[in-house]
Amino acid sequence: DGGITQSPKYLFRKEGQNVTLSCEQNLNHDAMYWYRQDPGQGLRLIYYSQIVNDFQKGDIAEGYSVSREKKESFPLTVTSAQKNPTAFYLCASSPDRGGSDTQYFGPGTRLTVL
Amino acid sequence: GESVGLHLPTLSVQEGDNSIINCAYSNSASDYFIWYKQESGKGPQFIIDIRSNMDKRQGQRVTVLLNKTVKHLSLQIAATQPGDSAVYFCAENIEGNNRLAFGKGNQVVVIP
């Protein structure tokens, strides 16, 4: 089965804790992305990576961190510095580093801060 | 779970009718466009794409129209079915940019 997987599907965090969201793809895509989705809003880019061991900040990177040690994996850490972390987090990948190709999304992780 | 469709423009369509969903984009340098469908609690699903050298592209029951003069994109769904109920949003890529910009979306509700 080819595709993008995200885990866990639901995640609960206490205030002040860091949590890491997993994103794995076996599509051999170069580029990977993390977005945040809030009700009634468009997707907002947190971080993206066009190649292994390299990544760039998106529009709302504050309070988040990522790593890209392997082509298949792009985990996102939501740190305690993120003021409003409750949201639906979506990971995507694309075969094209340049952005002129389709991005394919995982099923998402819903993070709730208690 | 909380719906991503909250507070979005809503299109109510009778089952079997055609649906038209519109999207305006702002950058005339955008050269690639995608339509996604998102059901509640799920990740967006690719529907169809179009590049700026085309005006129209057809898929299975869906057609995308691109009007570069007025920077307008539309998605037509033929013979709308209950399974088409979802949020639909467009995305654009600006030539030379390495990221997509996403619209907020439109909620489509199919009435049986």
Side-chain angles (χ1 to χ4, degrees), chain B residues 31-57:
Chain B
D31 65 344
Y32 178 61
F33 305 86
I34 309 170
W35 277 102
Y36 287 95
K37 170 187 179 183
Q38 187 177 22
E39 297 174 82
S40 184
K42 297 184 179 180
Q45 175 187 359
F46 169 84
I47 302 174
I48 192 167
D49 60 359
I50 188 168
R51 299 200 181 269
S52 58
N53 60 352
M54 301 174 69
D55 297 322
K56 179 180 179 179
R57 192 164 187 226

Side-chain angles (χ1 to χ4, degrees), chain A residues 9 33 35 37 39-43 45 48 50 58-59 88 90 97-103 105-107 110, chain B residues 1-4 6-8 32 34 36 38 41-44 46 49 51 89 93 96-100 102-104:
Chain A
K9 186 173 176 63
Y33 306 81
Y35 295 92
Q37 188 175 41
Q41 295 193 31
L43 299 180
L45 182 64
Y48 62 103
Q50 295 172 277
D59 300 320
F88 191 47
L90 289 160
R97 300 175 192 176
S100 60
D101 209 335
T102 305
Q103 290 185 20
F105 287 86
R110 184 164 299 281
Chain B
E2 193 171 9
S3 171
V4 296
L6 285 176
H7 314 302
L8 293 177
Y32 178 61
I34 309 170
Y36 287 95
Q38 187 177 22
K42 297 184 179 180
F46 169 84
D49 60 359
R51 299 200 181 269
F89 56 89
N93 174 254
N97 199 326
N98 51 14
R99 42 195 282 183
L100 295 174
F102 293 86
K104 293 183 180 180

Side-chain angles (χ1 to χ4, degrees), chain A residues 15-34:
Chain A
E15 283 192 24
Q17 286 182 336
N18 293 353
V19 288
T20 298
L21 283 58
S22 168
C23 178
E24 304 279 331
Q25 55 98 1
N26 60 4
L27 301 168
N28 199 35
H29 286 174
D30 284 320
M32 296 186 75
Y33 306 81
W34 272 107

